[in-house]
Amino acid sequence: RRRAEAMLRAKSLPVVMRQALGDEDRLYAGLLLSADGQLLASAYSSPSDLDAFALDVVETARSAISANVWSIMETESRNSGVGELGMTLVQLPEGVISIQAVNPGFLVAIVGAADAHLGLLRARTASLSRYFEGVMEAFRDS
């Protein structure tokens, strides 16, 4: 239990999330959200790397983009019989957002530049999601 609590401490989350962003990968922000869009933790790459788009998207992604897009895509995925939604990428003219469920109540999102490598963005989002799934599983088991 102590290990899970330590992993969930507010000071630890931004460090882990910042590592997922990398140093020179054009990934601007990492977000941990509740499924209803409440921001639980966030980390940003170097503030000097953030442009106006990234700042605006990070603020908007808290609820409007991440939670709502996820909810719509998840509903459509279920209704169409395609299966459970794993991850979604939202490409916008100025950037891209990758969103993945951590478990039924949480989402992880990474905001990248328009020219960010989509495979890398997808891999980093999946990695961050797996990390938080492990933390939450350890917390439940303790």
Side-chain angles (χ1 to χ4, degrees), residues 11-23 27-30 42-47 124 128:
K11 290 183 181 180
S12 318
L13 296 178
V15 172
V16 170
M17 295 173 84
R18 213 170 352 284
Q19 289 172 348
L21 298 175
D23 292 329
L27 305 180
Y28 293 132
S42 62
Y44 307 97
S45 61
S46 167
R124 298 275 176 87
L128 201 52

Side-chain angles (χ1 to χ4, degrees), residues 3-4 6-8 12-13 16-17 102 125-137:
R3 182 170 181 250
M7 293 167 100
L8 283 173
S12 318
L13 296 178
V16 170
M17 295 173 84
V102 173
T125 304
S127 176
L128 201 52
S129 178
R130 281 191 306 274
Y131 170 80
F132 285 122
E133 284 175 358
V135 169
M136 291 175 188
E137 183 176 312

Side-chain angles (χ1 to χ4, degrees), residues 9 11 13 31 36 38 57-58 60-61 71-72 80 98 107 117 120 127 142:
R9 272 185 280 165
K11 290 183 181 180
L13 296 178
L31 308 166
D36 65 357
Q38 181 181 9
V57 167
V58 167
T60 307
S71 178
I72 291 166
S80 67
S98 176
L107 302 171
H117 188 282
L120 180 64
S127 176
S142 58

Side-chain angles (χ1 to χ4, degrees), residues 8 18 27 52 55 64 75 81 85 91 93 97 104 138 140:
L8 283 173
R18 213 170 352 284
L27 305 180
L55 288 172
T75 300
L85 182 62
Q91 286 190 286
I97 303 167
R140 277 192 307 267

Side-chain angles (χ1 to χ4, degrees), residues 101-112:
V102 173
N103 66 33
F106 300 93
L107 302 171
V108 107
I110 294 183
V111 178

